[in-house]
């Protein structure tokens, strides 16, 4: 996805810490449902050129149960 500049330090700090955080993951095309649980950010990659939008690629690993919550 594309990341706001203001969010970079938050994501970088999470990646550097190695700690799990509570997250909701909304899969594309899921009609509003989501997975919820603790995740560790295991990869945080940025691509792009200075002065242009930066594309982010993140990988999160679940750290325990992540039940599915159906959309309404």
């Amino acid at each position: 996805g594309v990341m706001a500049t203001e969010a970079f330090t938050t994501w970088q700090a999470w990646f550097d810490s190695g700690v799990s955080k509570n997250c909701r993951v909304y899969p594309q095309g899921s009609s509003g449902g989501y997975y919820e649980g603790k995740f560790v950010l295991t990869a945080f990659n940025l691509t792009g050129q200075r002065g242009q939008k930066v594309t982010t690629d993140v990988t999160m690993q679940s750290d325990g149960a992540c039940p599915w919550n159906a959309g309404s």
Side-chain angles (χ1 to χ4, degrees):
V2 177
M3 176 182 294
T5 306
E6 301 81 18
F8 173 77
T9 53
T10 300
W11 283 85
Q12 186 65 55
W14 181 22
F15 178 66
D16 291 341
S17 73
V19 235
S20 57
K21 289 188 174 245
N22 291 321
C23 298
R24 286 183 178 176
V25 178
Y26 293 85
Q28 189 172 13
S30 68
S31 301
Y34 58 90
Y35 294 98
E36 185 170 23
K38 289 187 168 273
F39 289 84
V40 176
L41 186 60
T42 58
F44 178 56
N45 300 300
L46 305 172
T47 57
Q49 299 200 3
R50 189 177 181 95
Q52 296 180 357
K53 288 185 179 176
V54 173
T55 302
T56 60
D57 180 32
V58 300
T59 303
M60 300 186 315
Q61 176 68 44
S62 65
D63 187 17
C66 296
W68 174 254
N69 296 285
S72 38

